[in-house]
Amino acid sequence: MKLRMKSALQSDHDIIVIGSGAAGLTAALALAETRRVLVLAKGSLTGGSTAWAQGGIAAVLDAGDTFDNHVRDTMVAGAGLNDRETVEFVIERAPESIDRLIELGVPFNKDSGDLHLTREGGHSHRRIVHVDDATGWAVQEALLNAANASPNITMLAGRTAIDLITDRHRKTYSGAGHVWGVYALNEETGEVEAHIARATVLAAGGAGRCYLFSTAPRGATGDGIAMAWRAGARVSNMEMMQFHPTCLYNLEVKNFLITEAVRGEGGHLLHPETGHRFMADYDAERMELAPRDVVARAIDDQIKRYGLDYVHLDISHQPAEFVREHFPTIDEKLSSLGIDMTSQPIPVVPAQHYTCGGVVVGLDAATDLPGLWAAGECTESGLHGANRLASNSLLECFVYGEAAASDILAKWDSLPEPPTIREWDATRVSDSDEQVVIKQNWTEIRRFMWNYVGIVRTTKRLERAANRIDLLNKEVEDYYGSFVVTTDLIELRNLLQSAKLIVRSALARHESRGLHYTLDYPELDETPQDTVLIP
Ligand code: FAD
Ligand code: SIN
């Protein structure tokens, strides 16, 4: 059956923000002081990674700590690939970001009147502010409350952005480049809406769901990165996929994170049969608090070397009250699965956790494309380098959300009015009668990415993945060109595009640095260099 999907042109707002997580809502709130902002989100407004964050937000707040310490820790974790100017820019703005969150009502934990600071891997000092072990939920709630209260912000959930509107979508084509908003699927009506504006902020999160095991939510399919790439923006360091060392190993609950703060508060990693504290064999100085790439590789090695399903994370030597007080959410979840973390070890495995690479942005959060700014996990700002330091990512969302807003407002008068845009054309597509193709391809991508492009890589495995991607690409593009768009199809296309960028970047790096570890190039190059892909 041929179907003409309804299309609507909408341009009631000055600025469009794609994503309602920490980055998107921070930008929206700052812009809404003077402009009308439309926030679009796929699924629910709380569907991004922000709501799932556990550990907290890194900020220098203790008298014994310094910005220099935080900068050094960030660059050590990032294996020298970080951009120092960016690192300083973000870290120096951390205390004011925390102040703003407190003003918005985030109830950070306190200790004798001061903010309680916990510790995580790679940090030389206690500097993580948090709300128990569910910091992200408190932050998401406070930002949403503030956005709801703003008369200048409209939030539309259930809108899956499909593609950025660029000059090629003008009624009369006049060269490529400028972004004028986004085509988005209304998930309820099936209508494709064209949301048009002078400025667009991309804050669509990471691409973690490219991997079979990931701590990230279902919607982390790299949509923002793929859309920006298709529109012509450069993408960088996509090979730097972060694996969190401690995801719960449970056959029913597949992606529950056990926060790094459990190790920060004294948790030990143990061989499940011998009880050996194995980090001593990999990083005797930093032990469980070595940076994530080191700990994740050590666990991966133990699992492969001894044929294990998991290793143990044990904090049962700490007083039960201390454990319950610090980790109430994890304690409740584990209790529901029959594990008492105050007296038993927790079975854990590494899982994909964070996308360090993404759309290239400057300190002003501007992308290569006029009219398009980007912030948060979908970007590569230079902060994380080859490996993100724990709890630096929410911080990046706040600093870059603000940076995007202030650059847009500063340039507002010089931003051109949008041209006339074509409606979405769905005259040549029909309803799919083979949804199984989407499910099959989605599973296949996640499985070969896990097996071939995981914690330890080889050129042969990467080439295998590249071959699989080429085959799937034809199938998915044919499918996309023939059938009516659905959120599942849009996500599959973006997942495949993200996988392609990850594999291409990994093949281009001929060294082992940070999160990119390959048996074919185990050494570190003398000069750190970003992997920059140009569309
Ligand atoms: P997200 O919060 O992921 O939001 C993305 C938004 O974009 C969502 O609203 C989503 O619906 C929307 N979106 C995506 N695609 C589309 C589309 N096609 N159309 C429309 N909308 C779309 N970091 C820390 O600093 N500290 C922590 O303690 C911490 N803990 C974590 C724990 C877990 C389990 C996970 C998964 C991550 C954790 N992180 C932590 C990382 C951090 O949570 C994320 O990097 C950060 O929240 C990303 O925010 P964001 O605004 O960029 O994207
Ligand atoms: C955690 O709580 O371990 C996650 C922190 C982070 O990803 O920054």
Side-chain angles (χ1 to χ4, degrees), residues 18-24 40-58 120 128 135-136 140 159-162 203-206 215-217 219 221 223-224 227 255 257 259 292 353-354 375-378 388-395 397 490 494:
I18 305 169
S20 58
L40 301 174
K42 178 166 80 170
S44 88
L45 293 172
T46 56
S49 293
T50 296
W52 291 27
Q54 290 186 357
I57 305 160
E120 291 180 336
I128 318 294
T135 309
Q140 180 78 71
R159 298 299 192 285
T160 306
I162 304 171
T215 63
T221 47
D223 298 5
M227 283 192 287
N255 61 349
L257 181 76
T259 176
R292 267 179 201 175
H353 182 61
Y354 184 81
E377 193 169 335
C378 64
R388 175 178 68 96
L389 183 65
S391 289
N392 266 357
S393 52
L394 282 172
L395 174 59
C397 292
I490 295 163
N494 293 329

Side-chain angles (χ1 to χ4, degrees), residues 34 59 127 151 167 173 217 234-235 237 386 393 492:
T34 50
R127 62 166 79 97
D167 279 327
Y173 183 75
R234 282 172 309 155
V235 161
N237 294 348
S393 52
L492 171 65

